[in-house]
Amino acid sequence: MKNEQIQEVRSSGMLLIMGLVGLSLAIVATPWNRQFQDSRVEVALQKAEIVGYQVVQIYREASKSSLPDDKKSRVPASISSSDSAFPADLRSTGTMGTDPWGAPFRYRILSADKSGNVRILVWSTGPNQKAETADLDNEEAVIAGQPSYAGDDIGVLLSMTHN
């Protein structure tokens, strides 16, 4: 009889053990999950920079004039050689590549002048894949400096010479 009493498992003891196991898992899992998310954010920022450089390279190739500089050549009268450096039909917004969460990076060329300086904004919509920062896609909205990202959106603002 005494052996049966010793081996008896009480529900209160089992609840205490399960609570301790759950608490220890929460303590261990929270920093691990945060570290995992932080590493994805770092990868997203690094990839955003790479995408930015790629977009500028593509923009540079697309903006190269195919018109000869020879003044005797035949070109439409509406196009001057100074206008051909940055054609108006190049898109200043778009998507390219994928972020760590599987959504495409978005980009917006903020400014490109004839001296070769290009400012470009590249951002990710983050884990929830919803654009929460207003006016990033809006080509009419002026973005002077680094935007304040809302929600879980992240991105980089790059400024480079595109020559």
Side-chain angles (χ1 to χ4, degrees):
M1 189 77 171
K2 193 168 186 169
N3 281 340
E4 289 176 6
Q5 289 177 349
I6 293 173
Q7 294 178 356
E8 183 178 314
V9 177
R10 295 188 179 147
S11 61
S12 62
M14 186 57 92
L15 286 175
L16 178 65
I17 291 172
M18 294 295 285
L20 289 174
V21 168
L23 180 64
S24 64
L25 283 176
I27 290 172
V28 170
T30 302
W32 179 78
N33 190 28
R34 188 176 306 128
Q35 179 184 10
F36 182 68
Q37 287 297 331
D38 289 347
S39 68
R40 286 180 126 184
V41 168
E42 288 298 320
V43 168
L45 290 173
Q46 291 170 354
K47 281 182 150 184
E49 284 188 37
I50 293 169
V51 167
Y53 292 123
Q54 290 172 342
V55 169
V56 169
Q57 181 67 25
I58 292 169
Y59 190 80
R60 176 176 56 165
E61 293 297 321
S63 66
K64 283 186 179 176
S65 173
S66 61
L67 300 174
D69 290 334
D70 185 10
K71 295 189 186 224
K72 294 179 184 176
S73 66
R74 296 178 56 144
V75 295
S78 62
I79 298 177
S80 68
S81 60
S82 63
D83 292 338
S84 65
F86 295 99
D89 60 346
L90 287 178
R91 292 180 54 194
S92 65
T93 62
T95 61
M96 186 172 175
T98 56
D99 63 13
W101 301 279
F105 282 104
R106 298 173 184 214
Y107 69 86
R108 179 174 168 199
I109 297 174
L110 300 176
S111 66
D113 57 23
K114 300 204 187 301
S115 67
N117 294 328
V118 176
R119 286 184 55 233
I120 183 170
L121 181 64
V122 182
W123 72 95
S124 166
T125 54
N128 70 359
Q129 299 181 359
K130 294 179 185 175
E132 298 171 319
T133 307
D135 292 335
L136 291 182
D137 284 325
N138 183 3
E139 294 182 31
E140 310 300 317
V142 177
I143 299 176
Q146 181 72 25
S148 298
Y149 296 101
D152 62 352
D153 294 354
I154 55 171
V156 294
L157 177 64
L158 302 171
S159 179
M160 62 192 89
T161 301
H162 100 97
N163 284 337

